[in-house]
Amino acid sequence: MIIRDAWRALRSAPGSTAFSLLILSSAIAAATVTFSVVDAVILRSLPYEDSDQLVMVGADPSSVQSEVSFTAWRDQADAFSAVAATSVGPMAHVPSDSGVEYVRAWRTTASLFDVLRVTPLKGRVFTAVNETEAHAAVAVIGCDLWQRHFGGDPNVVGRSIRLANVRDIKEPAALVEIVGVMPKGFTYPMDASYQLWLPQIPETRMSAGSGYLRVIGRLRGNVTMQQAQAQIDVITTAVAAANSFRLPDGWRPPMLASFYDTLVGDVKGWMLLVLLAAGLVMLVACANIANLMLA
């Protein structure tokens, strides 16, 4: 109705006034859309409690670490209240109206839920006990997946979901039991397509120095990034020496980075420039309107 009334006013207005309204409305629309996008991407805080305490080990979002290094950080670095290791998981077969839908899964140590300070909406999360082959047939699902494919069934805990075979995606693999449902809006990594979380199991195929884990931690309240980095440097150097890793020239321990920066670091600068440009367009439009009205 507002748009219709505005259009009627624009059509009935004199030429100069109509042109002025067109300029102003276009500038307002551009500024509003731009601010909405920038606000959603870089201005709002992350959807986790005290998200400023979250850090990634490795400034690059794709940085991967070895199991032996992660274990040492988890056991020795008291700068963190919790540390978790994650990796890309298999797909899952989920029944749908069209037959079967493949849902993306993420593997993680149980400590991720402590790092992010999140509790399930229903059921429970898995524990460290589930991080072995013998007890790993459990899963936590997202609220969206629960609503879409299980109809919000209040008794979904205890039902099963089938993982896709990592060697042949068309060949069904073992069933895993749903033990919990995460609250609405929760996602990790920051990609809503991941709606399934499975226990992280040590990869026996990997050598001690092979990196495939993405590591996230939560700093203790009174610890700075510099203090945590100093611990990471000492522990990682000791691990490398103890395991006789072949280190390339110029090697140094991984750098810590805030979780927020790893997500928006590459786009924050140019998105702020776009927002500034939209503000300038709005300012120019207002100046033109003022000149037209004075004329």
Side-chain angles (χ1 to χ4, degrees), residues 206-280:
M206 299 287 184
S207 63
S210 297
Y212 71 100
L213 298 174
R214 300 179 188 181
V215 179
I216 182 173
R218 177 177 288 275
L219 298 177
R220 295 189 186 277
N222 59 344
V223 174
T224 66
M225 186 87 78
Q226 292 73 21
Q227 292 171 326
Q229 183 68 62
Q231 286 194 2
I232 290 292
D233 291 350
V234 171
I235 294 170
T236 309
T237 302
V239 167
N243 291 273
S244 302
F245 291 159
R246 294 181 180 179
L247 303 175
D249 293 339
W251 174 88
R252 62 154 300 160
M255 296 293 293
L256 294 181
S258 75
F259 185 40
Y260 173 84
D261 286 344
T262 63
L263 295 175
V264 304
D266 292 338
V267 300
K268 184 176 182 178
W270 68 262
M271 290 199 75
L272 289 176
L273 286 176
V274 170
L275 182 60
L276 177 61
L280 291 175

Side-chain angles (χ1 to χ4, degrees), residues 29-290:
T32 301
V33 170
T34 303
F35 178 79
S36 298
V37 173
V38 173
D39 178 54
V41 175
I42 66 173
L43 297 183
R44 294 183 188 178
S45 61
L46 298 177
Y48 309 113
E49 181 181 338
D50 295 327
S51 61
D52 58 314
Q53 297 176 344
L54 298 177
V55 296
M56 296 293 294
V57 182
D60 187 326
S62 61
S63 296
V64 290
Q65 317 300 332
S66 67
E67 285 183 6
V68 66
S69 295
F70 163 70
T71 302
W73 299 329
R74 181 194 62 195
D75 297 342
Q76 301 175 38
D78 59 9
F80 301 95
S81 60
V83 182
T86 69
S87 64
V88 178
M91 305 293 276
H93 297 268
V94 180
S96 68
D97 294 338
S98 59
V100 173
E101 177 183 344
Y102 293 107
V103 177
R104 301 169 75 184
W106 197 257
R107 288 199 180 276
T108 175
T109 55
S111 52
L112 177 70
F113 305 107
D114 295 324
V115 170
L116 300 181
R117 292 182 180 172
V118 61
T119 55
L121 179 66
K122 286 188 171 295
R124 65 174 179 86
V125 296
F126 45 79
T127 67
V129 173
N130 301 115
E131 295 170 20
T132 61
E133 289 284 358
H135 302 93
V138 294
V140 173
I141 65 174
C143 187
D144 289 347
L145 180 62
W146 174 50
Q147 294 288 346
R148 289 199 324 268
H149 295 288
F150 295 95
D153 179 9
N155 300 313
V156 69
V157 173
R159 293 180 63 177
S160 297
I161 192 168
R162 187 178 295 277
L163 299 182
N165 191 304
V166 293
R167 296 179 180 83
D168 183 357
I169 199 170
K170 296 180 180 179
E171 181 67 26
L175 292 171
V176 294
E177 179 186 354
I178 298 172
V179 296
V181 179
M182 299 311 290
K184 187 172 182 59
F186 171 80
T187 184
Y188 184 89
M190 297 295 287
D191 183 340
S193 64
Y194 286 99
Q195 286 286 302
L196 183 67
W197 295 272
L198 306 169
Q200 178 69 53
I201 306 170
E203 284 281 358
T204 55
R205 302 178 290 112
M206 299 287 184
S207 63
S210 297
Y212 71 100
L213 298 174
R214 300 179 188 181
V215 179
I216 182 173
R218 177 177 288 275
L219 298 177
R220 295 189 186 277
N222 59 344
V223 174
T224 66
M225 186 87 78
Q226 292 73 21
Q227 292 171 326
Q229 183 68 62
Q231 286 194 2
I232 290 292
D233 291 350
V234 171
I235 294 170
T236 309
T237 302
V239 167
N243 291 273
S244 302
F245 291 159
R246 294 181 180 179
L247 303 175
D249 293 339
W251 174 88
R252 62 154 300 160
M255 296 293 293
L256 294 181
S258 75
F259 185 40
Y260 173 84
D261 286 344
T262 63
L263 295 175
V264 304
D266 292 338
V267 300
K268 184 176 182 178
W270 68 262
M271 290 199 75
L272 289 176
L273 286 176
V274 170
L275 182 60
L276 177 61
L280 291 175
V281 170
M282 185 71 179
L283 181 63
V284 170
C286 290
N288 288 337
I289 294 297

